[in-house]
Amino acid sequence: MSFMLSSALRNLPVSSAWAAGVFTRSLSCSSQFQSSAQTKTKKSLGKSGVKNVVVVEGVRIPFLQSGTTYADLMPHDLARAALQGLLTRTSVPRDVVDYIVYGTVIQEVKTSNVAREAALGAGFSDKTPAHTVTMACISSNQAMTTGVGMIAAGQCDVVVAGGVELMSDVPIRHSRKMRKTLLTLNRAKTLGQKLSLISKIRPDYFAPELPAVAEFSTSETMGHSADRLAAAFGVSRLEQDEYALRSHTLAKRAQDEGLLQDVVSFKVPGKDTVTKDNGIRPSSLEQMGKLKPAFVKPYGTVTAANSSFLTDGASAMLIMSEEKALAMGYKPKAYLRDFVYVSQDPKDQLLLGPTYATPKVLEKAGLTLNDIDVFEFHEAFAGQILANLKAMDSDWFAQNYMGRKSKVGAPPLDKFNTWGGSLSLGHPFGATGCRLVITAAHRLKKEGGQFGLVAACAAGGQGHAMIVELYPQ
């Protein structure tokens, strides 16, 4: 498929000159867009007989590069801090929360149900159920929509959803041979049996199984997939570096202007209070161009500078039925509307989730691309996000791979990730989805829009998209 895509899409009209122009326009247009609120209100997406589900608030502790300030903590410590930040900001009584659900990807064995451990640590009642979900980079998206489903079904009125990831300390296992030997040794009854088993241990038994961000079905890392995807869609190294620079520049401006309202301070035990993300580092195209390919060597185009970095962080979101929120005196931020999950080929289309999910969620909601006022897409790699934009703008791809008559179109860059994205803000796998949704809600209020579209890709060739509607002001 890679060859076919390369041949068919090599001449799609996305060049480095285009990318540079888009980069410049996005910086100049976004301020103007923010200052001129739209006055036209479209029809609400509320449905008769279906409960309205609202976001009351969403927070996250600062997203930090792995190996920095959070390095000595455990995942439930981060999740607990996010939950406590949410409680502080909303003053919601703990006993009002009916259910807690968290997303995570690389699970700490000691706290496999991290939602439960974090909830207990944050002071929630031991009578409040909590469970953990995993769906790669859309794990907290799954946590949110699980909460939406529980509220819509009348099972709950108040759900806390979130996500957490601690890449600073990931489980490293013994080899399978050693694990099998140790488990058998544990069952041995006599000294002779134990000595016999120990005598069979060989030096290679001690080689550890190191974790890798790789697909089980293909044994390929996401970085390799991103590199091949970028090549298939003709996304150049310069385009990727330009887009990454755009992300960092916009994130720095949003941070400086206080737009990242979801960030809550976290006093790290034994260390200073962390108040902001530490991965936002605008560079220059010259400096970025000096980096060597990180995955496909020596000719690849994906580098450390145009990829999201390994990140520690956690998020939490308070979701309620509209009736419950109003009864408690809250002013919701947004409605959570239609959503879809998609799956496709986990090899050649691993990171094309947004391309497949976007037209489906728009059709489900009865909207068009032009109805969307803000777009928040997960940026795993600059090459991945640009390949998705090209795929969305290709009739050929829509007809040959998506079974559609025509393309959905690419989102305009002046509405797209204008406060930065995962490339700059960081990507704690299980926590990113909540950041996308609450950022969309905040941007809708700031920019005067009504509908936001959140989309993300995930390992396993899966993806998610959701419509967020601003709550009437």
mmCIF file of all heavy atoms in Angstrom, residues 235-242 287-293 300-303 306:
data_model
loop_
_atom_site.group_PDB
_atom_site.id
_atom_site.type_symbol
_atom_site.label_atom_id
_atom_site.label_comp_id
_atom_site.label_asym_id
_atom_site.label_seq_id
_atom_site.Cartn_x
_atom_site.Cartn_y
_atom_site.Cartn_z
ATOM 1 N N VAL A 235 5.273 13.822 2.397
ATOM 2 C CA VAL A 235 5.501 14.897 3.363
ATOM 3 C C VAL A 235 6.999 15.012 3.603
ATOM 4 O O VAL A 235 7.638 14.073 4.089
ATOM 5 C CB VAL A 235 4.775 14.609 4.701
ATOM 6 C CG1 VAL A 235 5.005 15.764 5.674
ATOM 7 C CG2 VAL A 235 3.288 14.398 4.452
ATOM 8 N N SER A 236 7.560 16.134 3.284
ATOM 9 C CA SER A 236 9.004 16.313 3.359
ATOM 10 C C SER A 236 9.481 16.563 4.782
ATOM 11 O O SER A 236 8.702 16.888 5.681
ATOM 12 C CB SER A 236 9.434 17.488 2.475
ATOM 13 O OG SER A 236 9.005 18.718 3.056
ATOM 14 N N ARG A 237 10.770 16.424 4.977
ATOM 15 C CA ARG A 237 11.388 16.729 6.278
ATOM 16 C C ARG A 237 11.164 18.200 6.633
ATOM 17 O O ARG A 237 10.843 18.536 7.786
ATOM 18 C CB ARG A 237 12.882 16.398 6.203
ATOM 19 C CG ARG A 237 13.751 16.990 7.317
ATOM 20 C CD ARG A 237 13.580 16.283 8.643
ATOM 21 N NE ARG A 237 14.438 16.876 9.653
ATOM 22 C CZ ARG A 237 15.699 16.491 9.906
ATOM 23 N NH1 ARG A 237 16.244 15.510 9.188
ATOM 24 N NH2 ARG A 237 16.413 17.069 10.845
ATOM 25 N N LEU A 238 11.303 19.089 5.652
ATOM 26 C CA LEU A 238 11.129 20.516 5.918
ATOM 27 C C LEU A 238 9.702 20.815 6.359
ATOM 28 O O LEU A 238 9.481 21.585 7.307
ATOM 29 C CB LEU A 238 11.479 21.332 4.670
ATOM 30 C CG LEU A 238 11.309 22.857 4.797
ATOM 31 C CD1 LEU A 238 12.157 23.407 5.934
ATOM 32 C CD2 LEU A 238 11.640 23.537 3.472
ATOM 33 N N GLU A 239 8.727 20.208 5.702
ATOM 34 C CA GLU A 239 7.327 20.422 6.099
ATOM 35 C C GLU A 239 7.092 19.982 7.535
ATOM 36 O O GLU A 239 6.396 20.658 8.302
ATOM 37 C CB GLU A 239 6.397 19.645 5.160
ATOM 38 C CG GLU A 239 6.295 20.222 3.766
ATOM 39 C CD GLU A 239 5.472 19.325 2.858
ATOM 40 O OE1 GLU A 239 5.752 18.116 2.793
ATOM 41 O OE2 GLU A 239 4.539 19.831 2.239
ATOM 42 N N GLN A 240 7.670 18.850 7.891
ATOM 43 C CA GLN A 240 7.492 18.348 9.254
ATOM 44 C C GLN A 240 8.137 19.281 10.278
ATOM 45 O O GLN A 240 7.554 19.571 11.332
ATOM 46 C CB GLN A 240 8.074 16.944 9.368
ATOM 47 C CG GLN A 240 7.325 15.922 8.532
ATOM 48 C CD GLN A 240 8.005 14.572 8.535
ATOM 49 O OE1 GLN A 240 8.193 13.958 9.583
ATOM 50 N NE2 GLN A 240 8.390 14.096 7.356
ATOM 51 N N ASP A 241 9.329 19.752 9.976
ATOM 52 C CA ASP A 241 10.005 20.673 10.894
ATOM 53 C C ASP A 241 9.237 21.986 11.007
ATOM 54 O O ASP A 241 9.115 22.562 12.099
ATOM 55 C CB ASP A 241 11.432 20.937 10.421
ATOM 56 C CG ASP A 241 12.355 19.745 10.649
ATOM 57 O OD1 ASP A 241 11.932 18.786 11.342
ATOM 58 O OD2 ASP A 241 13.489 19.762 10.133
ATOM 59 N N GLU A 242 8.704 22.474 9.886
ATOM 60 C CA GLU A 242 7.928 23.714 9.915
ATOM 61 C C GLU A 242 6.668 23.554 10.756
ATOM 62 O O GLU A 242 6.308 24.449 11.535
ATOM 63 C CB GLU A 242 7.565 24.136 8.484
ATOM 64 C CG GLU A 242 8.735 24.689 7.700
ATOM 65 C CD GLU A 242 8.410 24.903 6.231
ATOM 66 O OE1 GLU A 242 7.496 24.233 5.713
ATOM 67 O OE2 GLU A 242 9.079 25.741 5.602
ATOM 68 N N GLN A 287 18.330 24.808 13.465
ATOM 69 C CA GLN A 287 18.706 23.873 14.515
ATOM 70 C C GLN A 287 17.986 22.540 14.350
ATOM 71 O O GLN A 287 18.582 21.464 14.529
ATOM 72 C CB GLN A 287 18.384 24.481 15.885
ATOM 73 C CG GLN A 287 19.260 25.648 16.273
ATOM 74 C CD GLN A 287 20.724 25.251 16.413
ATOM 75 O OE1 GLN A 287 21.051 24.191 16.946
ATOM 76 N NE2 GLN A 287 21.616 26.103 15.925
ATOM 77 N N MET A 288 16.707 22.579 14.006
ATOM 78 C CA MET A 288 15.955 21.350 13.825
ATOM 79 C C MET A 288 16.507 20.526 12.668
ATOM 80 O O MET A 288 16.506 19.289 12.696
ATOM 81 C CB MET A 288 14.474 21.679 13.586
ATOM 82 C CG MET A 288 13.808 22.358 14.782
ATOM 83 S SD MET A 288 12.196 23.056 14.398
ATOM 84 C CE MET A 288 11.205 21.568 14.295
ATOM 85 N N GLY A 289 16.990 21.218 11.638
ATOM 86 C CA GLY A 289 17.508 20.541 10.462
ATOM 87 C C GLY A 289 18.795 19.780 10.707
ATOM 88 O O GLY A 289 19.199 18.939 9.894
ATOM 89 N N LYS A 290 19.453 20.053 11.826
ATOM 90 C CA LYS A 290 20.721 19.381 12.136
ATOM 91 C C LYS A 290 20.518 17.993 12.737
ATOM 92 O O LYS A 290 21.458 17.198 12.799
ATOM 93 C CB LYS A 290 21.537 20.241 13.106
ATOM 94 C CG LYS A 290 22.013 21.559 12.512
ATOM 95 C CD LYS A 290 22.782 22.360 13.556
ATOM 96 C CE LYS A 290 23.235 23.696 12.979
ATOM 97 N NZ LYS A 290 23.973 24.503 14.008
ATOM 98 N N LEU A 291 19.307 17.709 13.206
ATOM 99 C CA LEU A 291 19.060 16.428 13.860
ATOM 100 C C LEU A 291 19.002 15.289 12.842
ATOM 101 O O LEU A 291 18.513 15.452 11.729
ATOM 102 C CB LEU A 291 17.753 16.481 14.645
ATOM 103 C CG LEU A 291 17.714 17.466 15.814
ATOM 104 C CD1 LEU A 291 16.376 17.353 16.537
ATOM 105 C CD2 LEU A 291 18.857 17.212 16.795
ATOM 106 N N LYS A 292 19.494 14.136 13.274
ATOM 107 C CA LYS A 292 19.481 12.969 12.406
ATOM 108 C C LYS A 292 18.154 12.221 12.540
ATOM 109 O O LYS A 292 17.464 12.342 13.557
ATOM 110 C CB LYS A 292 20.637 12.042 12.780
ATOM 111 C CG LYS A 292 22.012 12.657 12.529
ATOM 112 C CD LYS A 292 23.117 11.674 12.895
ATOM 113 C CE LYS A 292 24.488 12.285 12.624
ATOM 114 N NZ LYS A 292 25.584 11.344 12.988
ATOM 115 N N PRO A 293 17.779 11.455 11.529
ATOM 116 C CA PRO A 293 16.548 10.660 11.621
ATOM 117 C C PRO A 293 16.569 9.768 12.853
ATOM 118 O O PRO A 293 17.607 9.199 13.211
ATOM 119 C CB PRO A 293 16.574 9.840 10.327
ATOM 120 C CG PRO A 293 17.410 10.643 9.378
ATOM 121 C CD PRO A 293 18.452 11.296 10.222
ATOM 122 N N GLY A 300 15.357 8.596 6.722
ATOM 123 C CA GLY A 300 14.052 8.951 7.255
ATOM 124 C C GLY A 300 13.911 10.441 7.506
ATOM 125 O O GLY A 300 14.886 11.206 7.479
ATOM 126 N N THR A 301 12.684 10.870 7.746
ATOM 127 C CA THR A 301 12.406 12.295 7.960
ATOM 128 C C THR A 301 11.861 12.590 9.351
ATOM 129 O O THR A 301 11.702 13.756 9.716
ATOM 130 C CB THR A 301 11.387 12.799 6.914
ATOM 131 O OG1 THR A 301 10.193 12.020 6.995
ATOM 132 C CG2 THR A 301 11.967 12.711 5.512
ATOM 133 N N VAL A 302 11.552 11.555 10.125
ATOM 134 C CA VAL A 302 11.046 11.757 11.480
ATOM 135 C C VAL A 302 12.221 11.870 12.444
ATOM 136 O O VAL A 302 13.076 10.987 12.507
ATOM 137 C CB VAL A 302 10.126 10.596 11.902
ATOM 138 C CG1 VAL A 302 9.720 10.736 13.372
ATOM 139 C CG2 VAL A 302 8.879 10.566 11.017
ATOM 140 N N THR A 303 12.258 12.969 13.177
ATOM 141 C CA THR A 303 13.344 13.222 14.126
ATOM 142 C C THR A 303 12.764 13.512 15.505
ATOM 143 O O THR A 303 11.545 13.628 15.677
ATOM 144 C CB THR A 303 14.192 14.428 13.679
ATOM 145 O OG1 THR A 303 13.422 15.636 13.858
ATOM 146 C CG2 THR A 303 14.613 14.306 12.222
ATOM 147 N N ASN A 306 10.560 16.768 15.454
ATOM 148 C CA ASN A 306 9.212 16.804 14.870
ATOM 149 C C ASN A 306 8.339 15.647 15.337
ATOM 150 O O ASN A 306 7.378 15.269 14.672
ATOM 151 C CB ASN A 306 9.272 16.886 13.330
ATOM 152 C CG ASN A 306 10.041 15.749 12.689
ATOM 153 O OD1 ASN A 306 9.924 14.594 13.099
ATOM 154 N ND2 ASN A 306 10.831 16.071 11.663
#
